[in-house]
Amino acid sequence: MIALLQASVLAVSSFGFGAPVLADRADEKVKVEFRRAETKNAEGLVEAKVEGTRTKVYLHKEADATNKDIASARVFEDDNKKVLIEVTFTKDGAKKIATLSGEHKGKPVAVVIDGKVVCAPVLRAPLTDKAQISGQFTKDEAEKIVKGLTAS
């Protein structure tokens, strides 16, 4: 099952970018983290702002999944011509994401690219080996993100 990571208000429509995160880095590897987030501050959490919004989230210090857990990524358009990024996780990555979605259901998960929270959608369904990232990015911006995710 492919779970759609999407929230209508966060980070210019959840996984969107106010400005392209990778504008000048098409050939460089990007650092991606999937981290548990909270809507209220608590001890040990780190405050972060979702790019392109006024929304604040509070991040757990450790990432639940990273680049190492991504097997592949691709850009495609849905039926409404919205640009999406599909991420396929490794076997270990899929286990990590499944654990994350089971333990953190109903709470936000922050997608952090190069230290910036690009969105923090609420986990509403279990995640498995694939996830789709939607947002306000162009196809070119999405291609740059994918290239950065899959760079060796």
Side-chain angles (χ1 to χ4, degrees):
M1 174 178 151
I2 297 175
L4 181 62
L5 297 177
Q6 189 173 39
S8 60
V9 181
L10 301 175
V12 193
S13 189
S14 188
F15 258 75
F17 303 93
V21 174
L22 302 175
D24 299 317
R25 302 185 50 193
D27 295 323
E28 293 182 35
K29 187 160 185 81
V30 297
K31 180 178 179 184
V32 176
E33 298 177 322
F34 294 83
R35 293 171 71 179
R36 294 170 198 238
E38 307 291 342
T39 55
K40 295 181 181 172
N41 199 3
E43 187 176 332
L45 300 179
V46 177
E47 182 179 301
K49 185 178 170 193
V50 179
E51 288 292 306
T53 74
R54 294 184 181 145
T55 303
K56 288 183 184 177
V57 291
Y58 302 90
L59 305 176
H60 291 251
K61 290 187 178 181
E62 298 296 320
D64 289 274
T66 67
N67 295 66
K68 295 175 188 174
D69 300 305
I70 297 173
S72 65
R74 71 181 184 100
V75 175
F76 70 100
E77 292 181 353
D78 68 10
D79 294 339
N80 297 318
K81 301 293 183 198
K82 184 170 179 116
V83 176
L84 301 169
I85 298 171
E86 180 180 79
V87 175
T88 301
F89 295 100
T90 63
K91 188 175 180 179
D92 285 343
K95 289 178 187 175
K96 291 177 183 180
I97 288 296
T99 298
L100 167 64
S101 64
E103 294 177 355
H104 209 62
K105 186 175 180 180
K107 295 182 178 183
V109 61
V111 178
V112 183
I113 298 179
D114 286 342
K116 297 179 184 191
V117 177
V118 297
C119 70
V122 173
L123 290 170
R124 304 217 183 274
L127 298 176
T128 57
D129 63 331
K130 293 186 181 185
Q132 292 177 351
I133 302 169
S134 68
Q136 296 295 92
F137 37 73
T138 66
K139 189 168 185 176
D140 285 344
E141 291 166 345
E143 292 285 355
K144 288 177 184 177
I145 292 167
V146 165
K147 194 168 186 178
L149 286 172
T150 58
S152 336

